[in-house]
Amino acid sequence: MQRRRTFYLFLAALIAFSTLACGDDPPTTQLPHLTTTGVNPVWSAGYSGAGVVVGIVDDSMYMDHSYYSTRVVGDACRFFEYDIYTDSLSTTIGSNPRALDDTHGTSVAGCVAAYGTTNVDYGFLSTPLIAPAYGASLVGLGTDLMSPSIAAALRYGNDTIDIKNNSYGMGTGFGTVLGSLGNFFDGLDGMNAALAIREATESNVILVYSAGNSRDGRDNGGNILPNAKDANKKGFQAHPDTIVVGALGGWSYDDTYDTYSSFSCYGSNVFISALGTRIPTSAVALSTKGDTLEASSVYTTVFGGTSAAAPVASGIMALAVEAIKDNPNVSEMTPRLMKHLLVQTSDKIDPGATDEYTAWTTNAAGNAFSPTYGFGRINAEKLVSAAVTTLDVSPQSRLTVEWELTTTGGSVDFTRLDDDVYAYAQADLMPETTSGTDSSLVRVSNFDAVSMAPIVVSGPVLCSTMQYLFDPDAASLTPPVGSTILAAEATPVAQIEFRATFTEDSFADLEIQPLEEMALTIGIDAPYLGDLRIEVVSPSNTESILCFEDNEANDTALEDDELFWTFSSNAFWGESPVGEWEVRVMDMFGEADLGMFSLITSFYMGEVMSADNAVPEPGTYVLMIMGAGFLGVTCLWRRRSAA
């Protein structure tokens, strides 16, 4: 039976690729951001993104650009504006620029779908300006980049748009696009946008986001952007429904294309990478004529940043969306299926990376993940081959468990040993129980005492321990026997450890499947948000840093009594959620003034369907690619310095 199933899968792959509608003369390219991702064989197979609609959510998109105007769905283009004074939203037809510097979205659109000529000298080639999805249709979704406007753009046209590219984000971390510090998932500019992301995803719109250009924690002028290095501190990008893209390559073509760009943000939410430097594109030169803007025929062509990497990836994903139509097993490409295919087909690069921001970790499911590269550089040839042969993805299971911590009276004294050792406290929460309420230490108020609070657990989850450790002096550290040893720091460190064991009974009637994303929503009370470091360890002992500390943010005015934020991680993809999970929250630079008042854990679960639930065995998959090649495959993260 297995051999017969394998034969049918192999035959389906051959038929799909042999019956492609190859063009008379499919284009080829020498542009590195496309050759390194394998688009030439995909174009030769007849895929160009034709029939796929990509929305450009940005500052604007010039609709009459000669590089793509014949493929713009003009009557679908919109511009969204929010009036903060009247709390009202207006929508107008069209997406053309409204100001002289509204050229970013036009450049982004060119990275997805441009096809034209360029006079730019790249030093070693003369080539047409061509983007990966040169046959795709475009819808401009211009906005004033206010959160309500973006939310409206994310909700618009979801019955016809397949992919929405979003090359924008907040400058500082833990803020909204409006610039205020606060919870992205609360209020007008928070809940509105978060729900819009969820609605778009449920409509099977693939949401692609740039990771951000502030890896060094600074803007283009060298000014510090607090908490901006970590892409997981950016509200849109941290949402588990998005596909976050990091940038590869330097500003010179002498640089390697297999390492990250110096500006590209890192984070456990990064999903894939694509080249994001010196990308030929299609920005327009704007001028004023009376009260109107005019676009000249002079195009600026070099574009860069994660703003460019994201649309390059969006264009390659559009090829896979087109290819899925040749797969008899799948009705349409969904965001979850796209993610699974990207995990399977992206290329691991820079394998020798060693720092914690870049190094690869191979989890218990065999998936290699890096906070800088995600699952690796996108590969068009592998992605399209997988799209043609996949057997779809299983329905998603999702488990969310919330612990509500509220302050009550009373306190407990730490054992103060010496000034040069850890003071510590540990409390058992719910040993051998499955539900109910118990008391636990939940806040370090000073070196001598902590306040007490109950922890309310909904659902059959075993909570073993929560403990607090901190260093009152940070001199020579001699931890007590049995305590967790922290690395010696030059400044005091506080740590909260929370452990919860999820048994099979914890999932009630949900089907237990391998993990996709894992999300952690956490309420924190800390004097400086840049002090925070949050780590999660899975039952398989895979560790993911959901929040990296940012020492440069320590001296800024970004103080807040409370932070309520959702972080996401892709590092556990494919692992089992059953077993003991550990959350570590640390104050890396502060005075041990750290508290946790809320914790919500969300497991997103699902898998590519197998023959028994049939994905081919690895050897069969190789045969499919070989056969396909034989029969068809071979026939507003603006970097101003890159403009």
Side-chain angles (χ1 to χ4, degrees), residues 14 269 406 541 584:
L14 297 184
N269 59 323
T406 56
N541 207 34
R584 298 193 287 253

Side-chain angles (χ1 to χ4, degrees), residues 160-242:
T160 57
I161 297 175
D162 300 292
I163 300 171
K164 289 185 179 179
N165 187 90
N166 301 264
S167 290
Y168 55 82
M170 293 76 70
T172 59
F174 298 127
T176 67
V177 173
L178 290 175
S180 61
L181 178 69
N183 174 23
F184 173 75
F185 296 88
D186 188 21
L188 173 66
D189 53 335
M191 185 68 75
N192 195 19
L195 288 179
I197 290 175
R198 179 101 285 268
E199 290 173 17
T201 302
E202 290 175 345
S203 298
N204 287 331
V205 178
I206 299 166
L207 299 178
V208 182
Y209 276 83
S210 56
N213 293 344
S214 48
R215 189 184 186 94
D216 62 356
R218 285 165 169 76
D219 61 18
N220 292 332
N223 302 306
I224 292 177
L225 295 174
N227 292 300
K229 303 173 185 178
D230 188 341
N232 223 358
K233 299 178 183 179
K234 308 174 192 299
F236 291 97
Q237 284 81 352
H239 198 291
D241 286 340
T242 62

